[in-house]
Structure formats: structure tokens, C-alpha cells
Amino acid sequence: MESKVLNWKIKKSKFETHPSITMVSTNTRQRNVCKRRLNPVLAVPPSSVILHTDESGEFPESRNSSSSSNASLSSCAGSLLCHPNTVGIMGGGSVDSTLSFVRKLVHWSKENEETCTPFVLCSDPVLNRELLSLERNSSTLCSRNARSQFDHSPIVENLLSKRVFLEKSGAQCIVVPCHISHSWHDEVFKGCSIPSLHMAECVSRELKEAKLKPLEAGSPLRIGVLATDVTLKAGFYQEKLQNEGFEVVLPDKATMEHTVIPAIDAINRKDMEGARNLLRIALQVLLVREVNTVILASNDMCDLLPRDDPLLKKCIDPMDALVMSTIKWAQQAVKEVQPIC
């Protein structure tokens, strides 16, 4: 049966009372689970359910539930989903960007398939705030030479716990639609029992397969990267692009200090027009350095320019590359792997 996404609205005040939200989507009849952390809910086909905690943090009993449906919930072997192409999605600093990834995954996977890719989504508001604060305040940390003293271990432990949860939920591959979370990708996924897709690897591979031509004969293929200071200092985009043979061009110190960092500050002040103008300047500075394209490795930056902006046509969103790589993995998994349940 064709996959359908269950949409619901949660008031902000109510959402903040739930430290963790998990949504499960299957490509049979849909299962969507909204749960409080440490209260696992097992779900199996063919029912479609959505559960959430009440004000006391407990799961309220459904008036329409039957003993047969309760039995079906407790009969699963331990995983939320049992499909060989189930994708685990680990939310990052922005809920909006995570949901944007999910929408693209659903719609793009259904373009050539009858059903969408099954997935388990885990999003933690506490982790969201920590990552977003680190990314948007990176300029302050760096200006005070405090970044090296900033303790990242709570963030890493949180990401690791989400990875373990997704493994146990039946995910056969994990993706992280968040740039800054990739700063600790190797640490978080060390010893993971299932593969993970690295966003920088996905976009680097996509650019390699595009068989780009240098803007000038005899010159190397140059790819620009525009991101927040903390993402650029992590260096994973530079590493993955260089592994594919590209020359990486980053904003120089003056561009970072006078356009990129002020643009992020403007976003924090909700001055979107000011941020938009600064972003355009930063892009133009990179483009005059003869780059073939610019990777916009920042969700905030990707959302600033209108879709029809000429500058945006010279940029690439790594999130799109991650979506396409996820779909390709899921399609290949169906061909190669037999059902695990």
C-alpha cells in the first residue's frame, strides 16, 4: 500500500515537555510513534498508531484500544521496523532542517517507487538547542580562544545514545541531516553495527560523478565551501573533497570576519535582510576565485536566498546529496538483502 505521512500539530509549550520525539514510518500501513525517552514502544505492522505521553509522562490508555492490538504491540521481537532498507535519521541542531530532509526523502523516493523509504526518526530538543547554540555562537567562542576548552563530551554522548537507539529500532543505515554533528562522526559511529552515510562524502561523490570541467584550461577543479566557523574548523568537508581530488577554496579571514560571522549574528537578531546581503557578498568573493560551485554547508544560509536567486544556482546543498545517497542505498538494500524478520 502506498506510503502516507501522518501529519500532526503540537503546540510549542506542549512539545517542550517532551524531551525526545521519535517518528516511525513504514512502507506498508504507516506507523508513527511519538514517545517519551526511556518509555520504549514496540510497533509492528499492520496497525497505524501514534502515541504520546500525558502531562504525568505516562502513556494514556486508548479508549479504542483492544486486547488484540495490545498483544500485537508486545509481540514484536524488539525492533520498531523490520525492513532491510530501514533508514535511521538522527536529528541535529535544527528541527526544521530535519523535517525538510524527511519531506525530500519521502517525495523523492516515491518518484520512481510505489512506496517511500521506511525510516525511524529520533529528535531530541535538548540536543537541538546544544548544537544550534554551539554553531551560532562559534564566533564568540573563537574570539575568546575558548573553543578548545569547550566540553563537547555531553554532545557526543547524546549523539552516541541516539545512534544506539536507532540501531536497536531496526535501522539498517543511519543518516545525520546536520552539518555540525559530523564534527564527531567518526567518534559517534565507531563500532557501529550498521553503515552510516557521511554528508560530506555524499556531496563530494556527487560532484565527482558530475564530471565538472575547470573554469580555466589546465587549472584544478576548485570547490568553494561556505559554512559557520565551527564547521569549517572541523575540516571534514575539506578532507572529503580533497579525497576526491578537488581543490578546496574557503573564505579568507577578512571574508569570515566581515561577512560570514556578521551574517550569522544577523540571523540571531532576526535581521534576515542584512544576513541575506552579507551572504551574497561572501558568495561573490568565493566565485571570483574561480570555483566551479560553492557548497553551502549551513542550513541557515541555504534558507536565506530565494529559490530564484542567480547566486543560489551556483551553489549546492549537501542535504540534497545526502537525500539522494540515502535513496540509492535503500534501493540497493532491497535488491541485495532479504527481509530480516
Side-chain angles (χ1 to χ4, degrees):
M1 183 175 183
E2 185 172 275
S3 172
K4 295 183 179 180
V5 178
L6 179 61
N7 297 315
W8 70 90
K9 296 181 179 179
I10 304 177
K11 292 184 179 179
K12 181 178 180 182
S13 59
K14 184 175 181 180
F15 175 78
E16 290 175 344
T17 66
H18 300 280
S20 184
I21 300 296
T22 301
M23 182 169 73
V24 183
S25 171
T26 73
N27 61 358
T28 54
R29 297 182 66 183
Q30 288 303 301
R31 174 152 294 82
N32 296 274
V33 180
C34 181
K35 60 179 274 296
R36 185 177 178 99
R37 195 191 317 171
L38 303 182
N39 281 310
V41 178
L42 302 180
V44 294
S47 303
S48 294
V49 298
I50 176 170
L51 301 177
H52 59 83
T53 57
D54 57 20
E55 295 301 324
S56 65
E58 301 296 330
F59 287 106
E61 294 185 4
S62 172
R63 296 180 179 179
N64 296 325
S65 63
S66 63
S67 59
S68 60
S69 63
N70 291 334
S72 68
L73 284 173
S74 62
S75 64
C76 186
S79 296
L80 291 173
L81 295 180
C82 299
H83 303 281
N85 61 336
T86 297
V87 176
I89 304 173
M90 189 187 302
S94 169
V95 175
D96 290 337
S97 65
T98 301
L99 293 178
S100 176
F101 175 88
V102 171
R103 282 192 293 269
K104 290 177 179 179
L105 179 66
V106 171
H107 294 305
W108 294 1
S109 65
K110 289 177 64 178
E111 286 183 356
N112 299 316
E113 302 287 340
E114 291 184 357
T115 58
C116 79
T117 301
F119 65 86
V120 181
L121 166 62
C122 184
S123 180
D124 183 352
V126 174
L127 181 62
N128 299 153
R129 288 193 294 270
E130 289 176 346
L131 290 172
L132 191 61
S133 176
L134 175 61
E135 186 169 36
R136 289 188 172 179
N137 296 314
S138 61
S139 58
T140 303
L141 288 174
C142 293
S143 64
R144 296 177 181 176
N145 296 317
R147 187 173 183 270
S148 59
Q149 285 78 38
F150 187 84
D151 185 10
H152 296 145
S153 57
I155 293 178
V156 175
E157 291 174 4
N158 198 326
L159 291 169
L160 183 58
S161 70
K162 302 300 183 295
R163 188 212 86 186
V164 173
F165 169 79
L166 291 172
E167 284 182 276
K168 293 181 178 180
S169 298
Q172 298 302 302
C173 179
I174 297 178
V175 297
V176 188
C178 171
H179 301 282
I180 192 172
S181 293
H182 284 74
S183 302
W184 311 283
H185 185 275
D186 293 345
E187 187 174 355
V188 171
F189 287 95
K190 182 179 180 179
C192 186
S193 62
I194 57 177
S196 63
L197 299 182
H198 193 294
M199 185 150 50
E201 284 184 355
C202 293
V203 71
S204 299
R205 192 183 311 117
E206 181 177 292
L207 288 170
K208 186 72 172 182
E209 294 172 353
K211 300 186 183 302
L212 302 172
K213 303 287 186 182
L215 296 184
E216 287 190 1
S219 63
L221 279 169
R222 297 188 180 95
I223 303 298
V225 180
L226 200 58
T228 59
D229 191 77
V230 68
T231 298
L232 291 179
K233 282 187 176 348
F236 54 87
Y237 274 104
Q238 298 92 304
E239 176 189 350
K240 303 303 182 182
L241 286 166
Q242 289 168 354
N243 288 345
E244 294 293 346
F246 295 110
E247 180 179 310
V248 182
V249 179
L250 303 178
D252 56 25
K253 183 179 179 181
T255 303
M256 288 297 297
E257 291 180 351
H258 298 295
T259 60
V260 178
I261 293 175
I264 299 300
D265 291 340
I267 291 173
N268 292 338
R269 299 193 308 270
K270 307 299 182 183
D271 177 13
M272 296 309 174
E273 186 60 32
R276 192 173 297 116
N277 293 333
L278 289 167
L279 174 60
R280 288 193 174 104
I281 295 172
L283 285 173
Q284 289 166 347
V285 170
L286 280 179
L287 290 170
V288 298
R289 295 170 65 183
E290 299 179 350
V291 299
N292 285 69
T293 189
V294 176
I295 294 176
L296 272 181
S298 165
N299 298 321
D300 288 331
M301 294 180 187
C302 285
D303 295 336
L304 275 178
L305 299 180
R307 296 295 97 185
D308 59 349
D309 193 295
L311 282 176
L312 199 59
K313 296 178 182 179
K314 299 179 181 180
C315 302
I316 183 170
D317 184 352
M319 206 74 74
D320 292 349
L322 182 62
V323 173
M324 292 307 301
S325 294
T326 303
I327 294 172
K328 290 178 182 177
W329 172 87
Q331 292 172 340
Q332 190 65 26
V334 170
K335 296 177 182 178
E336 294 182 353
V337 183
Q338 295 298 319
I340 63 178
C341 289

